[in-house]
Amino acid sequence: MPTVNPRRWWALLVLATAQFMVIMDTSIIGVALPEMQRDLGFAPEDLQWVFNAYVIAFGGLLLLGGRLSDLLGARRIFVTGWVVLIAGSVVAAAATTAWVEVVGRAVQGVGGALIAPASMTLLMMLFSHDPKELGKALALYGAAAPAGGTAGVFLGGVFTEWASWPWIFIIYVPIGIATLAATGLLPAAASRRGAVDVLGAAAVTAGLALAVFAVVRAPEIGWGATGTVLQLLGAAVLLGLFLVLQKSVKAPLMPLGVWRTPGLGISNLAMTLLGAAWIPMWYFLNLYLQQVLGYGAFASGAALLPMTGLLMLFMTLITARLLGRFGAKPLISGGLLVLAAGLAWLAAVEPTGTFLVDVLPASLVAATGMSLAYIPAMMSAISGVRQEEAGLASGIVNTTYQVGSALGLAALTAVATSQGAGELGDLPALTDGFSAAFVGAAAIAAAGGVLTAVFMRSAPSAAGATAEQQPVGSAK
């Protein structure tokens, strides 16, 4: 009988806070982007690297973070990740040029890539004794991610409006220190011997970065240009090298056999497309609010508070119950289709639009879709694997979500720019560009909903990967 940690719920608070902060780091810069662009000299097409530098480092190194967590102990890697995140936050806050800002954001991403898989491992250590408790803990932990992403928009507006944009990074310093002080609540695990696939980690991260760079640059130099073609081919070679290494090295970051787990592939595809639709939505919605409707940073963040409230309400009170009753497939598929509907509604934004008509109802529909799909997709991706592969499955599903976010934002930024989103001050052109991005995001979400409906196997609602009944990692 596993030992029950009497302080496990306090420990969960520490882990959920860490998850909240790590994901908030992808969104808190949203409303500050116009001021950062002005102060640091970013070109409109390069501004997204403030976001993508974090996401590429985060998504590309998550598997390495999971491996290090297994070898060196989850609590030790959790602490190391926070130290790195704090250091990156200091660099990002002190930046006076665009390239230093991008470097700081990348360092933050490295810290997040250590924190996220270590957090999941620690959660499993704390709650694996009781399937019902584990389900509740996973629901609360899972809700912290999208809530952090949306709350970051509001908090970024608060700091940008009432202080200055560097404060969106400075805030991580005291919170990081407080989190480090609370790590005594977390269980310790002994380190063990094993190899680390550093070359594989470098290949997958470089391949992702090159792919995003190619997509970002393509509208400027042409999709058929030699540079674009060579960059995309280089990305394919690097990602192919990663797969070859996973078959040949003794201790791969991602043993390919895990993909034989039923439902793992389609669940991760759903998470990829969910990230590719959701993250561009808040990115361009922020720009629409500020650059077209003329909202200040605080007002722009506050305008998205209803989304935060809806996300928290659904994920903590409703989605887990629906998952227990109906299973993952209808919620993932239906949620993606609802998200697509909200995005299609947002595509109707007008240069003379208003928040109450053009933004609020559509954003609430989109948030409902995200709330329905996110936790079921995450739990479906990790519920069918063996107990010893749960950390790996968690790393994979987090990676696919972040990869989808980065590539989706890069592709839709290219679409938006080609339709006029780079024409600052030209409200009709800006609106056309943002509308085109929303249409693209809607198409991505709709594709995810259809593919899930067609290819995901249904499970009995009473037993299939529910938040209240089935322990992650248990056999089905």
Side-chain angles (χ1 to χ4, degrees):
M1 193 67 186
T3 302
V4 178
N5 189 324
R7 301 187 295 177
R8 61 193 179 281
W9 293 106
W10 288 107
L12 176 63
L13 178 61
V14 175
L15 298 176
T17 299
Q19 174 79 333
F20 183 93
M21 297 300 294
V22 166
I23 302 302
M24 190 176 76
D25 215 358
T26 65
S27 65
I28 196 170
I29 50 93
V31 296
L33 288 174
E35 290 195 16
M36 295 173 71
Q37 180 180 2
R38 182 179 62 250
D39 292 349
L40 301 178
F42 279 100
E45 65 273 14
D46 295 333
L47 187 60
Q48 63 174 304
W49 283 102
V50 179
F51 172 82
N52 277 339
Y54 180 90
V55 169
I56 289 170
F58 184 30
L61 295 174
L62 272 167
L63 294 175
L64 178 61
R67 177 64 175 165
L68 292 174
S69 179
D70 289 340
L71 292 178
L72 303 179
R75 188 169 74 176
R76 184 177 291 113
I77 295 302
F78 183 85
V79 169
T80 303
W82 270 105
V83 172
V84 174
L85 181 60
I86 291 170
S89 300
V90 171
V91 172
T96 57
T97 61
W99 74 268
V100 174
E101 183 62 42
V102 170
V103 168
R105 289 288 289 161
V107 174
Q108 285 187 305
V110 174
L114 297 176
I115 293 169
S119 296
M120 180 59 75
T121 300
L122 289 164
L123 186 148
M124 296 293 293
M125 293 170 64
L126 287 163
F127 293 98
S128 60
H129 65 281
D130 184 336
K132 187 173 182 180
E133 280 198 0
L134 178 60
K136 291 179 180 178
L138 280 168
L140 292 170
Y141 181 81
T150 308
V153 175
F154 172 70
L155 295 176
V158 171
F159 291 123
T160 304
E161 185 82 10
W162 291 347
S164 59
W165 65 260
W167 281 93
I168 65 177
F169 304 117
I170 293 172
I171 188 61
Y172 283 86
V173 177
I175 292 176
I177 292 172
T179 302
L180 290 173
T183 53
L185 294 168
L186 304 177
S191 59
R192 58 187 177 88
R193 298 180 63 182
V196 177
D197 182 16
V198 176
L199 184 58
V204 70
T205 305
L208 173 60
L210 191 57
V212 172
F213 182 76
V215 174
V216 170
R217 292 269 294 165
E220 181 182 344
I221 66 175
W223 287 96
T226 302
T228 301
V229 173
L230 289 177
Q231 288 159 8
L232 290 174
L233 285 175
V237 169
L238 287 166
L239 295 174
L241 173 62
F242 170 72
L243 294 178
V244 170
L245 288 170
Q246 302 317 289
K247 292 184 66 175
S248 59
V249 299
K250 292 183 178 180
L253 291 177
M254 185 182 70
L256 298 183
V258 73
W259 290 100
R260 290 194 290 269
T261 302
L264 184 67
I266 188 61
S267 298
N268 277 277
L269 177 60
M271 284 296 279
T272 301
L273 298 178
L274 187 62
W278 176 257
I279 294 299
M281 184 207 73
W282 69 256
Y283 180 88
F284 289 107
L285 191 54
N286 269 296
L287 294 180
Y288 173 74
L289 288 168
Q290 293 191 56
Q291 295 180 355
V292 176
L293 298 189
Y295 280 35
F298 174 75
S300 177
L304 300 182
L305 268 182
M307 292 175 63
T308 304
L310 188 63
L311 280 166
M312 293 300 296
L313 176 65
F314 260 81
M315 290 195 172
T316 57
L317 299 179
I318 298 175
T319 302
R321 295 181 181 179
L322 294 176
L323 183 58
R325 182 173 181 181
F326 299 107
K329 179 179 177 177
L331 292 185
I332 300 170
S333 179
L336 280 162
L337 292 175
V338 171
L339 174 59
L343 287 162
W345 194 346
L346 280 173
V349 291
E350 297 285 347
T352 57
T354 65
F355 169 72
L356 290 177
V357 173
D358 293 74
V359 175
L360 180 61
S363 68
L364 292 179
V365 171
T368 300
M370 176 63 168
S371 302
L372 290 172
Y374 183 86
I375 290 179
M378 180 183 70
M379 296 187 70
S380 177
I382 62 180
S383 63
V385 300
R386 299 191 305 270
Q387 183 70 42
E388 60 270 23
E389 292 179 331
L392 170 63
S394 171
I396 291 173
V397 73
N398 275 285
T399 298
T400 55
Y401 181 79
Q402 298 302 330
V403 168
S405 300
L407 292 177
L409 181 58
L412 294 179
T413 295
V415 170
T417 302
S418 69
Q419 297 299 311
E423 303 295 329
L424 296 179
D426 187 340
L427 300 189
L430 285 170
T431 304
D432 288 344
F434 300 151
S435 178
F438 293 137
V439 169
I444 291 170
V450 171
L451 290 171
T452 302
V454 172
F455 293 107
M456 178 171 278
R457 289 165 50 185
S458 297
S461 60
T466 73
E468 298 183 2
Q469 295 173 321
Q470 174 123 356
V472 173
S474 64
K476 287 189 176 180

